[in-house]
Amino acid sequence: MNAGDEPLAFFERAEATFREGAAAGNFERRTYRIAEQPIELVAGPAYDFAATALTHLVSNDAVAPSFRILAWDDASSSKSMPAPPWSTDAYGVRGEIEGFNDDRFRTAYDHGANSLSMIDLERGIALFWMRDAAHAPQPDRATPFRTIFHWWAEANDSLFVHGAAVGSDAGAVLIAGAGGAGKSNTALLSLSEGLFYLGDDYCLVRPDPIPRVFSLYATAKCAAKDFVRFPALESAVAPSTDEPEPKRLLYLAKEFGEQLRDSLPLRAILVPHVTLASDETIAVPTSSADALKALAPSTISQLTGAGAETFHGLAALVRQVPCFRLSLGRDSTKIAGAVRKAIEQANE
Amino acid sequence: MSSYRINSPAVIHQIFETEVVVVNLENGSYYSVEGAGIDIWRLLEQRCGREMIVAAFTRHANGSAETNETQVRAFLDEAVAEGLIVPEADAPSSGTTQPSLALAERIQSNPPRLHKFTDMRDLLLLDPIHELDEAGWPLRNQSLGR
């Protein structure tokens, strides 16, 4: 076999394993409308968490999907995943598998979740395999198939961005920043105060012709110490698991469905900073470079295959919309108002 | 005269008016280049050589030439040490510089600065894989739980 044939050969073997499992088990088939595209998810019974995270995007349109994700695990399947045909030296720093990434295929292993993601861009099919999906780590239950959605977005002139997004009838803001910057709390405080919600961790952004942000996950994660601020969200907390969980996982579609939006025009990028300098939260214009530093490193570091293309896409995005530094004050009840004001300011 | 090249594809960058944002994809570190470092980075982008870059900031510097030279060389050494640029001893400089009083003054009022950020490194698998299951798949690395 030529080296170039290996990705195809392995993809076919893995897909055959999925199909055997699907034929024997009670796999669910659902179609979602994601960033205006019909996407089908065929998943084994242990992937209920994925269906819950994406449930606000379920589509009943009778149209052929433009992209399929096939997801299964060994624990609930009749046949085990074939052994990897690559050596341990083949794993890159983001889990990318050397020799299995080319124009047609992308392949990556997530060492935090023990999961394999693989996409065939030519056929529009992705495979997602875990050893045991019933014990999927919290990040996967909150934001499933991240790597696959990143590859798919890149192939569809969009960006899979590490950031929260909330908005109003006037449009949305993307809230950028690494963990601990105040991104999730800002999004959840905005949700609690009646703003629309598109995501707290990852969103899709289509930059052209006019930047638009698309929701992917109706979920949120919140540090246990911060959760006291959100008594209204108690009913959305996911059942606890036996996995170590540093944060509360929230499934928002059931209780907050009316505030979820599939997409909104992107009006601004906010870079939150916890300053506690005063009670007030204020948004002041900041540089595009500041926004890029908040968006790009955390997006790229967490996504397999994200590199120059993602970086330059984000660099173009931060030049397209106004950017604000959001200095988070002590009075958390005033944060949503500052977000609303920033949207209005961006529209002026 | 030897030149430098930006260490692509591992190193990617974006030049803004007030800052250059640089990311090293291999180790997750990212950088903010400020002050006269922006001018230096533009010259590096053109593959100008070390002496050419030094000259751009010193030729019209009058009394401050020595200080300017120290600043430029220190910045270049730091960028090399961080793996952001690579000296190419055998490659001729392909860029051109325009030594100017403006550059000489800019570096005096706003010296080159390279700020390094390492908060993303924990998200990368920088250690080799130690454990495999029976089929040959890696076992979970708890530190990458995200």
Side-chain angles (χ1 to χ4, degrees), chain A residues 62-81:
Chain A
V63 292
S66 58
F67 182 62
R68 286 188 171 86
I69 300 173
L70 313 179
W72 78 107
D73 69 342
D74 272 5
S76 55
S77 181
S78 55
K79 194 174 176 189
S80 296
M81 181 71 157

Side-chain angles (χ1 to χ4, degrees), chain A residues 211-266:
Chain A
R212 194 166 187 87
V213 59
F214 294 90
S215 175
L216 252 181
Y217 307 114
T219 59
K221 287 185 294 177
C222 181
K225 68 178 173 56
D226 295 327
F227 196 69
V228 291
R229 291 179 179 183
F230 308 108
L233 302 181
E234 188 68 49
S235 57
V237 175
S240 60
T241 69
D242 53 2
E243 292 290 307
E245 295 188 343
K247 295 183 177 181
R248 301 279 183 94
L249 170 58
L250 310 173
Y251 289 123
L252 300 168
K254 194 172 170 188
E255 304 289 338
F256 296 91
E258 288 184 6
Q259 282 173 258
L260 302 180
R261 287 293 176 275
D262 296 356
S263 77
L264 285 172
L266 177 62

Side-chain angles (χ1 to χ4, degrees), chain B residues 95-144:
Chain B
T96 55
T97 59
Q98 199 72 47
S100 68
L101 182 60
L103 281 178
E105 288 180 345
R106 190 140 65 233
I107 196 169
Q108 289 163 39
S109 62
N110 204 352
R113 295 183 301 280
L114 182 65
H115 301 288
K116 181 179 182 180
F117 305 91
T118 59
D119 51 309
M120 294 296 136
R121 289 172 60 93
D122 292 347
L123 299 174
L124 302 183
L125 181 78
L126 298 174
D127 294 326
I129 292 159
H130 297 294
E131 287 187 81
L132 302 175
D133 68 9
E134 287 178 1
W137 291 99
L139 292 171
R140 181 182 294 185
N141 182 335
Q142 297 285 3
S143 69
L144 292 173

Side-chain angles (χ1 to χ4, degrees), chain A residues 57-331:
Chain A
L57 302 176
V58 162
S59 167
N60 296 314
D61 296 345
V63 292
S66 58
F67 182 62
R68 286 188 171 86
I69 300 173
L70 313 179
W72 78 107
D73 69 342
D74 272 5
S76 55
S77 181
S78 55
K79 194 174 176 189
S80 296
M81 181 71 157
W86 50 80
S87 73
T88 54
D89 297 339
Y91 295 91
V93 293
R94 289 175 197 80
E96 65 276 20
I97 309 297
E98 190 182 340
F100 286 76
N101 288 275
D102 56 28
D103 288 346
R104 177 174 171 182
F105 294 98
R106 306 275 189 279
T107 310
Y109 190 83
D110 183 331
H111 297 269
N114 275 348
S115 67
L116 182 81
S117 298
M118 196 169 188
I119 193 169
D120 179 346
L121 291 166
E122 194 175 296
R123 289 170 60 215
I125 295 183
L127 307 178
F128 184 86
W129 168 81
M130 291 184 115
R131 190 177 284 115
D132 183 4
H135 294 95
Q138 192 181 72
D140 287 82
R141 285 184 287 117
T143 54
F145 315 129
R146 294 183 301 279
T147 301
I148 288 170
F149 281 127
H150 158 63
W151 289 328
W152 175 81
E154 202 168 66
N156 285 276
D157 301 320
S158 297
L159 294 159
F160 183 79
V161 176
H162 181 227
V166 296
S168 66
D169 287 329
V173 288
L174 187 62
I175 307 169
K183 188 163 45 67
S184 291
N185 282 347
T186 301
L188 287 175
L189 286 163
S190 299
L191 176 72
S192 300
E193 292 295 323
L195 270 78
F196 299 145
Y197 183 93
L198 296 97
D200 97 313
D201 212 7
Y202 291 95
C203 299
L204 291 165
V205 176
R206 193 175 60 206
D208 296 316
I210 296 167
R212 194 166 187 87
V213 59
F214 294 90
S215 175
L216 252 181
Y217 307 114
T219 59
K221 287 185 294 177
C222 181
K225 68 178 173 56
D226 295 327
F227 196 69
V228 291
R229 291 179 179 183
F230 308 108
L233 302 181
E234 188 68 49
S235 57
V237 175
S240 60
T241 69
D242 53 2
E243 292 290 307
E245 295 188 343
K247 295 183 177 181
R248 301 279 183 94
L249 170 58
L250 310 173
Y251 289 123
L252 300 168
K254 194 172 170 188
E255 304 289 338
F256 296 91
E258 288 184 6
Q259 282 173 258
L260 302 180
R261 287 293 176 275
D262 296 356
S263 77
L264 285 172
L266 177 62
R267 301 299 187 204
I269 295 171
L270 304 185
V271 183
H273 288 270
V274 180
T275 61
L276 307 179
S278 75
D279 285 346
E280 302 297 322
T281 289
I282 53 166
V284 293
T286 192
S287 67
S288 301
D290 208 20
L292 184 63
K293 280 186 292 183
L295 269 181
S298 66
T299 296
I300 289 171
S301 297
Q302 298 184 59
L303 295 174
T304 301
E309 192 172 336
T310 303
F311 182 74
H312 293 303
L314 293 171
L317 181 68
V318 298
R319 293 177 198 268
Q320 277 181 286
V321 295
C323 304
F324 296 91
R325 184 183 178 96
L326 189 69
S327 296
L328 300 171
R330 287 186 295 262
D331 187 347

